[in-house]
Amino acid sequence: MGDSRIVAKRFGENLRRLREKADPSQEEMGFRSGLHRTEIGILERGERLPRMDTMLKLGAALGVKFECPLLTGLEWSPGVLQRGSFAPSADPEQDGS
């Protein structure tokens, strides 16, 4: 196995461990990071190495800070997942409909 495949596999194991500890699903993790849930799975399985911006997004979604002078001034603001809810609508009988 080549070096990059070893790195991708280890990164994927770390990502899965941290995501499961933080408890979001792959879908919620994708929403928070601005990635598709299938990309989260691909990364967790070690099938691909993430780009730098993807790593920043994943770290922010998990609340992980990167301590690297090359990344100074770069950050990602994770999305917030909200559940849908019902609200009362106008009474159709009073509405004249």
Side-chain angles (χ1 to χ4, degrees):
M1 189 183 293
D3 288 344
S4 62
R5 293 188 61 102
I6 292 169
V7 172
K9 183 146 181 65
R10 177 58 56 92
F11 178 85
E13 291 167 354
N14 292 340
L15 177 59
R16 176 168 293 187
R17 179 178 43 81
L18 290 170
R19 180 184 60 79
E20 288 176 347
K21 183 177 178 183
D23 202 33
S25 65
Q26 285 184 345
E27 187 169 3
E28 184 176 347
M29 183 71 181
F31 182 82
R32 290 181 185 181
S33 62
L35 302 170
H36 195 276
R37 65 175 171 73
T38 57
E39 179 70 10
I40 303 299
I42 288 168
L43 292 169
E44 286 186 354
R45 290 189 301 275
E47 296 175 11
R48 183 181 302 152
L49 278 170
R51 297 182 332 201
M52 183 67 67
D53 61 324
T54 301
M55 288 180 62
L56 287 170
K57 291 175 179 182
L58 293 169
L62 291 168
V64 174
K65 297 283 185 194
F66 291 97
E67 299 293 328
C68 176
L70 292 172
L71 302 177
T72 300
L74 299 173
E75 65 180 59
W76 172 261
S77 298
V80 178
L81 184 64
Q82 289 185 290
R83 295 189 184 276
S85 63
F86 286 101
S89 59
D91 186 352
E93 291 181 17
Q94 292 179 358
D95 201 14
S97 304

